[in-house]
Amino acid sequence: MAEDLGSSGSKGSVSHHDRETNTTIGSTITGSVNERKLLMKVDLRTLPILTIIYVLAFLDSPTLTKGVRNFGGLVTVRFLLGIVEAGIFPGCFYLMGMWYMTSEAQKRFSFFFNASSFAGAFGGLLASAIGLMDGMRGYHAWRWIFILEGCLTCVVSILAYFVVADFPEHARWLNDDERDFIVSRLMANQGSSGVEKKITVQSFLDAFRDWRMIPGALMYFGPTVSAYGLAYFIPSIVRTYGYKPIQAQLHSVVPWAAAVVFAMAMAFASDTIQKRSPFILVGLCFALIGNVVLLTVHTNKEAEFASLVLYTMGVICVLPIIAQPGKWGSATSQG
């Protein structure tokens, strides 16, 4: 099995490989580098701006479609949003994967991904607040949604061009010792980043020849569909429990807040023991239990709401773990 997944028996687990990585780094880097401070420096330079970009992308989707008046307009808006948003999530994940070893990456990926949960929690509240601006300066509320969120997104996009970190090999905000340290530890942990190689049509097609792409994509597809369904319809679902509009909006925050706490706890535990699949199974079990209760219980409002929270926790927990880039075979399949 280990050979089929592209990892040799000599590597054992990820944690053993990281010990080899640390030994290699210690023998090859002679500069004085404080690893903890350097990682904090990398975190502050990469995570905030990428998180803001993703939050805005996720926040715009549900709120912008609220101004659509018919099905044709909805399809058109979603199609255009899909085009411009398609590369944001995988691009951010890929860039982050070029900065962190597998042993320290999961909690950072989960933090980045769970920013969308905050967006999901407060997107409805933001839309409701903007709805109160209906008629202001002669504009309907849906126009204010486009104006305010559109302007914010444009400003951040310009800022991102100058702020988003490049690959470690090209990062000007690192000194020579820091750059050599980052590149060496990643080389020992993941291999060459291939930053010098150009992306061609052939290299794009070669990615689909890796059989691990298919089960990985299928694993990610199901929870993603559920996550987007929750993002769009949690307020509507909560209203069916008999809550008034304001109460429904407030109760809609609870599943997302619980999901963030649970997902981050699973991410820290996953990095600690260097296992991925057990936490995927735990999350899927939470989602399954919540879904079963939602499908079978229809007369108990408290039980239905609790099962919705459980379902959201499970779905949001597993997505960043499944999606973690880098050594998929060793990080997810083995552990």
Side-chain angles (χ1 to χ4, degrees):
M1 177 65 73
E3 293 177 357
D4 292 338
L5 294 174
S7 58
S8 63
S10 61
K11 289 182 181 180
S13 64
V14 177
S15 58
H16 175 69
H17 185 257
D18 288 340
R19 287 195 295 269
E20 293 179 353
T21 298
N22 292 335
T23 302
T24 303
I25 293 172
S27 61
T28 57
I29 301 298
T30 58
S32 177
V33 175
N34 186 312
E35 184 175 7
R36 184 180 297 273
K37 290 184 178 180
L38 178 57
L39 279 178
M40 185 177 295
K41 182 178 181 179
V42 172
D43 287 341
L44 292 175
R45 187 58 189 262
T46 58
L47 291 180
I49 184 62
L50 294 179
T51 300
I52 291 172
I53 292 172
Y54 187 51
V55 164
L56 288 177
F58 199 91
L59 186 65
D60 287 345
S61 296
T63 52
L64 290 181
T65 53
K66 291 182 182 294
V68 178
R69 299 184 177 183
N70 54 61
F71 180 74
L74 176 64
V75 172
T76 302
V77 170
R78 281 305 314 158
F79 177 76
L80 294 176
L81 283 174
I83 291 177
V84 297
E85 290 179 359
I88 293 178
F89 178 75
C92 290
F93 248 49
Y94 176 73
L95 183 59
M96 290 167 60
M98 294 296 101
W99 284 94
Y100 300 105
M101 298 195 303
T102 53
S103 61
E104 62 197 16
Q106 189 58 63
K107 50 184 168 289
R108 291 172 171 86
F109 289 135
S110 292
F111 172 82
F112 166 80
F113 183 86
N114 283 310
S116 66
S117 298
F118 281 107
F122 296 102
L125 294 178
L126 178 61
S128 298
I130 297 177
L132 299 177
M133 299 176 63
D134 188 44
M136 186 178 295
R137 295 186 177 274
Y139 293 121
H140 292 296
W142 68 269
R143 293 184 181 273
W144 279 113
I145 293 176
F146 278 83
I147 292 171
L148 296 177
E149 295 195 4
C151 288
L152 179 60
T153 302
C154 289
V155 170
V156 171
S157 66
I158 296 173
L159 180 65
Y161 180 82
F162 299 98
V163 176
V164 171
D166 204 339
F167 293 97
E169 292 85 348
H170 300 155
R172 298 180 179 179
W173 46 274
L174 296 175
N175 60 44
D176 291 339
D177 285 343
E178 292 173 336
R179 187 180 300 108
D180 291 342
F181 183 85
I182 291 289
V183 172
S184 296
R185 71 200 293 267
L186 293 174
M187 176 73 74
N189 182 244
Q190 301 179 10
S192 174
S193 65
V195 66
E196 74 285 351
K197 297 180 180 179
K198 294 183 178 180
I199 298 178
T200 63
V201 174
Q202 185 60 45
S203 63
F204 175 79
L205 295 176
D206 287 342
F208 291 94
R209 295 177 182 175
D210 187 344
W211 67 268
R212 291 171 294 186
M213 288 282 292
I214 298 176
L218 292 176
M219 288 170 60
Y220 189 71
F221 178 78
T224 298
V225 173
S226 298
Y228 272 91
L230 290 168
Y232 281 95
F233 297 112
I234 276 185
S236 300
I237 295 172
V238 172
R239 279 196 294 270
T240 65
Y241 301 154
Y243 294 109
K244 295 180 180 179
I246 298 299
Q247 291 178 320
Q249 290 289 356
L250 294 175
H251 279 77
S252 297
V253 177
V254 176
W256 294 109
V260 170
V261 174
F262 181 66
M264 289 306 302
M266 293 294 100
F268 273 90
S270 177
D271 271 350
T272 300
I273 70 172
Q274 283 303 291
K275 298 290 184 181
R276 305 292 184 232
S277 56
F279 299 97
I280 294 176
L281 294 175
V282 169
L284 291 177
C285 286
F286 272 54
L288 178 62
I289 295 172
N291 200 21
V292 169
V293 176
L294 285 172
L295 291 174
T296 56
V297 177
H298 305 291
T299 58
N300 188 323
K301 179 174 68 175
E302 289 74 18
E304 291 180 82
F305 183 73
S307 62
L308 178 63
V309 173
L310 198 64
Y311 181 46
T312 307
M313 290 169 60
V315 169
I316 299 303
C317 164
V318 302
L319 279 172
I321 301 178
I322 295 174
Q324 180 181 331
K327 303 186 71 175
W328 192 88
S330 61
T332 303
S333 299
Q334 278 190 350

